[in-house]
Amino acid sequence: MSAATDAGYRCVPYDSAQRPHVAMPLGGIGTGTVAICADGSLRQWQLHNIGNHAGALPGSFFAIRATCWEPPLDTVRVLQAPVRQSTRTPLVTDDEVAGWQAELLARHPGVAAVEFGGTYPFARLDYRDPELPLDVALEAFTPLVPGDVAASSIPAALFTFTLTNTTAYPVHGTLGAAVQNCVGWDGVSPIDGVDGAGYGGNTNRLFRDAGWTGVALENHTLAPDAPGAGQLVLAADDAAASALAQWRHPDEFLTFLRSRALADGTGRLANTGAANPDPQRHGPAAALGASAPGRTWNTGLGVGFLLAPGERRTVRIALTWRFGNRYVNFEQFGPPRPEWGLSRFWLGNHYATVYPDAVAALDHVRRDWDALRTASLSWPATLARSSLSDDAVTQFAAQLATVRSPTCFRGADGRFYGFEGVLGASTTMWSGAHGGSCPLNCNHVWNYAQTLAAFFPELERDMRRTEFEVMQAPAGYLPHRLVAPTYLRQLWDEPIGGPDTPALDGMLGAVLKTYREYRAFPSGEAGTAFPSGEAGTAFPSGEAGTAFPSGEAGTAFPSGDAAAGLDWLRGYWPNLTRLLDHVEETWHTDGSGMLTGIQPSTHDIDLCGLNTFMGTYWLAALRAAETMAGLVGDNAAARRYRELFEAGSAAYDAALFNGEYYEQRLLPGDRPEYQWVTGCLSDQLIGQWWAHQLDLGHLLPAEHVRTALAAVVRHNLRRGFAGFEHPYRVFADGDDTGLLVCSWPRGGRPQVPTRYADEVWTGTEWQVAAHCLTEGLVEQGEAILAGLWARYDGRRRNPYNEVECGDHYVRSLSGWSALQAMSGLRHDNVAGAFAFRRPDPATPTLPFLTTDGYGLLSAGPDSVSIECTGGILHLRELRLTGSPDGADRVGGAPAGGTGPDGDGYGIALDGVGVEAARQHGPDGVRYTLGVPVRLTAGSTLTLTAARQARG
């Protein structure tokens, strides 16, 4: 494990030549992005409301000129490493360098090497070149703060360069930043130099304000509602920076850098006005006027520096943008709509309602840069202090990259939307390479996603609003895709696509997600949402995690400050019951508790017969519905759902467990095409994965669940794909390790097996790994994660871009559950109830994140502590599970307790004793605090070991 840098986040530098696929997106939620790549280049320009993973913007780069007058030295370097040959990894393009960048480096030297490291959203680059008489380092980020949607939705990429003179002589020079005025571009059409579709009439306007120099890139000839209308700003924190405001070819800008002199004339700015771009007399002249039709201008800033030996200087550069005119520029599923004609359906962008132009976005980031950085650093710093490996820190932090990729956006009305991914190399065979993949809000794929709900629960609640208020049909079912704008008729009673009829797993997932969103609802002060009865009754005394008391449904559930959450849940309860009524009437037709008939699924086909993929979704949904029925006081429904669950649980296990794993059993009349029958499906227990996250207990016998999970890993985790036949898409090859969607260890593979059986889906890998960790199958879970992380370590695939049906695919957001599983976190924010697993000695400190706050869980020889590192933790009840030794050592006395100075065990908040009642059970030790506690950043709750008997 590497130590954090002095910046506070984990940073393991590596040569970009060894990891050419690394491309970290910069940009806020729903704002579009540009990637800072391991070689120092800016690629994947996607600011124009359309996904284009190969988006190239010529003339956009960083460069530096460094000179010494004695001994004489003058060198100019493009801040990019040499172009390397592509790895040609199947279905990914993150390492492909744009042609204009290769041409630039063929004409002008880049640096010899770039080292890249960091923790999302922070990237650190160190530029290495023997000809440079100084060290050049860059930190790039876009603000990202857990729970703060506004701060995480800024249309900006922020760059801090640090220049250090490492010689014995003074060094002077100029740091250059350049970008093309892409206002008017459609985001897709190739650009040749400054020639491109949509260009013409572009102008670049210099301004100096508040100690910054900036250039506003505009085009006032465009209609206000033109798709490409907007504004960019390139700015630097130097009031005397020079600008070559308008130029055509990179040679012009590099000539501009070479022309800089110590006697640069900046003193004239006091008398010549802020609009003077370059007071230096012998600098090259910029082009004037608006650009010609079909052409645009580039712009560039030069920040001068003079460094004494050992001296250091930082230069801040900001790129901000605003492109507010988002339209439905994607083909929607469903039948042809001739009545729509040529309507383009405006959606708008929420961020554009916050920032009237890109200058306003610049005003925000330059004013609050330090505060935004500090807030954004808090979560990466928490990861850095943990015992997680460097690979784990990189991968878990990178989960947020997909949330801020073009896969996700917010309309002008604030509604949150998500594609399945971004079209690219993995989709060209059926849908091209530009735009969003498989629109929109596809619930059977989003069933896997846990990251958005963990970091930004209000956005997940918005998705439930869309499902129940827009998508749900009068008959009760949920189509698995949304038609936008939302005022259009939805996909009711007509073919949808992928699969053709509403996906059953998507509907059942909506029930689970609703309960998840309720548990994450803001609740005010901790503890007020607890029942007034005996302490601890909000947790079950039976099976671990059953999440509600064994008495009358709902009798132990909260009121008071939980009213807002309960009102939210009550508002959608009729929607949930209509949905479950439809499921029961359509698929539960024989009274067995099991679902039968055609069951459309996320595999883009119709499953049938008896199977635990759909069956565990059904069982988990029944448990969640039973719990929610108790919350809203619908006791009759709670009893009904409990009866269905008990019948279904016993029936599925009896019918499908083959002694090793759960098979599929076809019934008379079922078609065998696209089924797995005797196969071992990796997702066969996906509902159990959900149930554990929601504290709903085991859906099937625990020993069978663990046996089946072990079989999944034993049969489906393939180490090496040499000679393996890939009938369709290749997501693992060569020496890779990956978990197959399905295998047939007992034979009987159907002639037409379940679709995608021979693929490796990262979303499934994360899900199965997390489930293994939860069930105590640590070796199996870690083996899956090691294979996944090795495939996406930057050598042949990008850790910030997990690919399936498109780039930045949302199924991969199941990854967050693996971090939760490592700490054993289960959290009910309304109740202020936490559950953790005592950390293993190999990883004694683990990070965790909840709705309102986050922190570190640590275990020592005689204690367990919960430290809040950000936000607020409201805590009334704590359940601690783990090894018998750990459970015995911490809180091991049989009853009662006082503060840390009393006999038995001790609980203290920042050294002050806390009264608590304790109860032992098969699931560990449960503490109910006499007074609710509130942990803020820096606070620590400590559970101290039981005292030894005194002699």
Side-chain angles (χ1 to χ4, degrees):
M1 181 180 67
S2 297
T5 66
D6 55 5
Y9 47 85
R10 196 82 67 87
C11 187
V12 182
Y14 46 79
D15 190 325
S16 64
Q18 303 302 315
R19 306 203 185 189
H21 281 266
V22 170
M24 182 187 287
L26 302 173
I29 299 172
T31 69
T33 58
V34 56
I36 181 71
C37 299
D39 64 359
S41 65
L42 296 173
R43 302 204 297 266
Q44 301 176 10
W45 290 86
Q46 301 176 98
L47 310 182
H48 289 71
N49 305 314
I50 188 167
N52 179 10
H53 207 64
L57 204 58
S60 303
F61 61 97
F62 298 114
I64 193 166
R65 179 190 181 214
T67 68
C68 295
W69 59 85
E70 187 179 1
L73 175 69
D74 184 21
T75 185
V76 175
R77 290 290 184 270
V78 175
L79 293 178
Q80 183 175 341
V83 176
R84 306 285 177 173
Q85 186 175 3
S86 172
T87 64
R88 303 296 183 190
T89 306
L91 305 185
V92 298
T93 58
D94 290 283
D95 68 330
E96 293 185 3
V97 176
W100 78 266
Q101 291 173 324
E103 180 184 349
L104 174 65
L105 292 182
R107 293 173 57 85
H108 302 280
V111 293
V114 177
E115 290 184 350
F116 185 101
T119 301
Y120 187 82
F122 292 93
R124 179 183 170 88
L125 291 82
D126 289 281
Y127 303 90
R128 308 296 189 193
D129 194 286
E131 297 299 316
L132 284 176
L134 70 169
D135 283 347
V136 182
L138 166 65
E139 179 185 88
F141 81 107
T142 297
L144 177 67
V145 184
D148 191 336
V149 175
S152 305
S153 303
I154 302 173
L158 307 182
F159 307 93
T160 301
F161 283 91
T162 301
L163 311 177
T164 305
N165 183 356
T166 57
T167 74
Y169 306 95
V171 174
H172 65 98
T174 304
L175 177 68
V179 71
Q180 183 165 104
N181 182 335
C182 57
V183 179
W185 186 37
D186 60 13
V188 169
S189 298
I191 303 169
D192 182 8
V194 291
D195 295 345
Y199 286 161
N202 298 73
T203 56
N204 299 340
R205 172 176 55 86
L206 180 85
F207 62 90
R208 301 183 191 273
D209 182 51
W212 284 63
T213 299
V215 182
L217 314 181
E218 301 163 327
N219 188 329
H220 296 290
T221 68
L222 296 173
D225 64 346
Q231 185 188 60
L232 285 86
V233 167
L234 178 68
D237 66 340
D238 188 326
S242 296
L244 188 66
Q246 298 189 158
W247 49 273
R248 290 147 297 213
H249 194 280
D251 288 3
E252 298 176 54
F253 183 62
L254 294 172
T255 298
F256 167 78
L257 294 183
R258 289 189 178 95
S259 74
R260 302 298 90 195
L262 282 174
D264 59 6
T266 52
R268 299 189 186 93
L269 291 175
N271 296 320
T272 58
N276 191 325
D278 184 9
Q280 182 173 293
R281 296 185 186 277
H282 56 273
L288 300 176
S291 63
R295 295 196 139 191
T296 188
W297 302 116
N298 302 319
T299 198
L301 294 174
V303 178
F305 58 86
L306 172 60
L307 300 175
E311 188 177 0
R312 173 180 298 177
R313 178 180 173 183
T314 61
V315 178
R316 289 177 172 178
I317 294 174
L319 177 69
T320 60
W321 58 87
R322 182 190 186 273
F323 292 94
N325 294 328
R326 181 183 291 274
Y327 293 90
V328 176
N329 55 6
F330 45 88
E331 292 301 321
Q332 308 210 59
F333 280 76
R337 302 288 190 184
E339 68 273 20
W340 289 356
L342 298 178
S343 303
R344 55 184 181 175
F345 296 124
W346 187 81
L347 298 173
N349 280 319
H350 182 263
Y351 85 86
T353 68
V354 177
Y355 301 102
D357 52 30
V359 175
L362 173 66
D363 288 342
H364 182 190
V365 296
R366 70 180 177 183
R367 179 185 65 246
D368 297 331
W369 190 301
D370 289 334
L372 289 168
R373 184 184 181 278
T374 298
S376 300
L377 182 63
S378 183
W379 174 246
T382 300
L383 292 174
R385 290 178 53 204
S386 76
S387 303
L388 293 178
S389 68
D390 293 332
D391 286 343
V393 168
T394 295
Q395 297 288 340
F396 285 126
Q399 283 275 297
L400 271 297
T402 292
V403 172
R404 302 211 296 183
S405 76
T407 294
C408 304
F409 66 95
R410 297 179 74 193
D413 61 356
R415 193 180 296 273
F416 183 86
Y417 300 89
F419 296 99
E420 292 184 26
V422 179
L423 295 174
S426 63
T427 63
T428 54
M429 72 288 290
W430 70 273
S431 192
H434 305 119
S437 172
C438 302
L440 198 59
N441 289 32
C442 180
N443 55 22
H444 63 69
V445 174
W446 277 88
N447 270 356
Y448 289 75
Q450 302 294 339
T451 307
L452 181 69
F455 272 80
F456 304 108
E458 69 180 87
L459 297 181
E460 274 287 356
R461 283 198 300 275
D462 184 72
M463 295 188 85
R464 306 291 80 73
R465 175 173 71 102
T466 298
E467 283 179 337
F468 293 130
E469 298 180 16
V470 178
M471 296 171 67
Q472 189 171 24
Y477 64 83
L478 274 174
H480 53 270
R481 300 193 191 279
L482 172 72
V483 174
T486 56
Y487 54 76
L488 296 173
R489 189 181 190 275
Q490 295 301 304
L491 293 164
W492 300 338
D493 303 317
E494 55 192 15
I496 300 173
D500 282 342
T501 53
L504 176 56
D505 49 343
M507 288 187 254
L508 296 171
V511 179
L512 297 167
K513 287 181 278 193
T514 301
Y515 184 44
R516 178 187 65 189
E517 269 64 274
Y518 165 76
R519 285 163 60 94
F521 214 91
S523 62
E525 284 301 313
T528 57
F530 272 73
S532 57
E534 183 174 351
T537 55
F539 277 99
S541 57
E543 172 91 20
T546 52
F548 60 92
S550 57
E552 183 74 16
T555 55
F557 285 90
S559 57
D561 277 356
L566 283 174
D567 286 347
W568 180 85
L569 183 59
R570 288 191 185 102
Y572 291 127
W573 184 243
N575 301 79
L576 288 168
T577 55
R578 282 194 296 124
L579 175 61
L580 286 167
D581 287 348
H582 172 81
V583 171
E584 187 175 355
E585 292 166 5
T586 306
W587 288 283
H588 179 233
T589 58
D590 61 1
S592 67
M594 296 185 288
L595 305 181
T596 60
I598 294 175
Q599 302 158 45
S601 82
T602 194
H603 307 90
D604 296 337
I605 44 88
D606 295 332
L607 305 181
C608 57
L610 307 177
N611 66 86
T612 55
F613 172 79
M614 211 64 77
T616 55
Y617 262 129
W618 165 240
L619 295 175
L622 289 172
R623 293 290 286 108
E626 178 190 1
T627 306
M628 289 186 285
L631 286 164
V632 301
D634 191 344
N635 294 333
R639 287 191 292 270
R640 169 65 176 156
Y641 295 138
R642 182 69 185 190
E643 292 168 358
L644 284 171
F645 166 77
E646 290 177 346
S649 176
Y652 273 114
D653 187 66
L656 301 181
F657 189 67
N658 66 11
E660 188 184 15
Y661 57 85
Y662 288 93
E663 296 182 340
Q664 179 190 30
R665 194 178 91 195
L666 302 184
L667 301 176
D670 288 340
R671 298 185 60 182
E673 292 84 6
Y674 298 114
Q675 311 305 312
W676 63 89
V677 196
T678 60
C680 182
L681 185 76
S682 287
D683 273 338
Q684 64 185 261
L685 292 169
I686 189 169
Q688 184 62 76
W689 168 71
W690 260 106
H692 283 321
Q693 292 180 86
L694 298 179
D695 224 3
L696 296 173
H698 275 99
L699 309 175
L700 297 165
E703 63 273 17
H704 290 181
V705 168
R706 285 188 278 271
T707 298
L709 267 181
V712 166
V713 180
R714 183 167 59 252
H715 296 310
N716 294 0
L717 186 64
R718 185 179 180 92
R719 294 171 172 85
F721 285 79
F724 184 79
E725 183 178 350
H726 294 278
Y728 191 22
R729 300 174 299 189
V730 181
F731 300 125
D733 65 335
D735 295 331
D736 289 338
T737 293
L739 189 75
L740 295 172
V741 169
C742 191
S743 71
W744 282 264
R746 300 186 174 202
R749 177 176 173 131
Q751 185 175 359
V752 182
T754 187
R755 184 171 284 172
Y756 312 126
D758 302 302
E759 296 183 354
V760 173
W761 292 355
T762 63
T764 294
E765 290 182 296
W766 283 112
Q767 179 264 124
V768 175
H771 193 179
C772 285
L773 296 174
T774 301
E775 298 285 356
L777 302 175
V778 176
E779 182 179 348
Q780 291 90 333
E782 290 180 346
I784 296 172
L785 295 178
L788 193 167
W789 296 347
R791 294 202 316 277
Y792 281 89
D793 66 357
R795 290 177 172 87
R796 300 183 68 246
R797 295 174 184 87
N798 182 8
Y800 308 104
N801 175 26
E802 292 182 41
V803 177
E804 194 190 308
C805 188
D807 294 289
H808 301 291
Y809 199 74
V810 297
R811 199 188 312 270
S812 68
L813 297 181
S814 60
W816 196 253
S817 65
L819 182 60
Q820 293 172 309
M822 287 179 177
S823 66
L825 172 66
R826 300 175 194 175
H827 175 236
D828 185 336
N829 195 56
V830 174
F834 288 74
F836 288 108
R837 183 187 303 109
R838 179 186 174 87
D840 185 90
T843 52
T845 301
L846 292 171
F848 66 89
L849 182 141
T850 71
T851 303
D852 294 331
Y854 44 93
L856 291 165
L857 173 72
S858 300
D862 302 310
S863 65
V864 172
S865 65
I866 299 169
E867 178 189 354
C868 180
T869 59
I872 300 172
L873 301 177
H874 300 288
L875 192 147
R876 169 68 184 269
E877 284 202 9
L878 172 65
R879 189 168 74 243
L880 185 65
T881 65
S883 66
D885 288 344
D888 289 343
R889 284 199 307 269
V890 178
T898 59
D901 296 324
D903 292 331
Y905 69 94
I907 299 180
L909 176 62
D910 296 331
V912 178
V914 176
E915 296 283 347
R918 184 176 73 263
Q919 181 180 2
H920 283 258
D923 56 327
V925 185
R926 182 168 59 253
Y927 304 90
T928 303
L929 307 186
V931 177
V933 299
R934 181 176 183 269
L935 281 72
T936 57
S939 296
T940 301
L941 186 75
T942 304
L943 285 72
T944 306
R947 294 179 182 273
Q948 300 295 321
R950 297 175 181 174

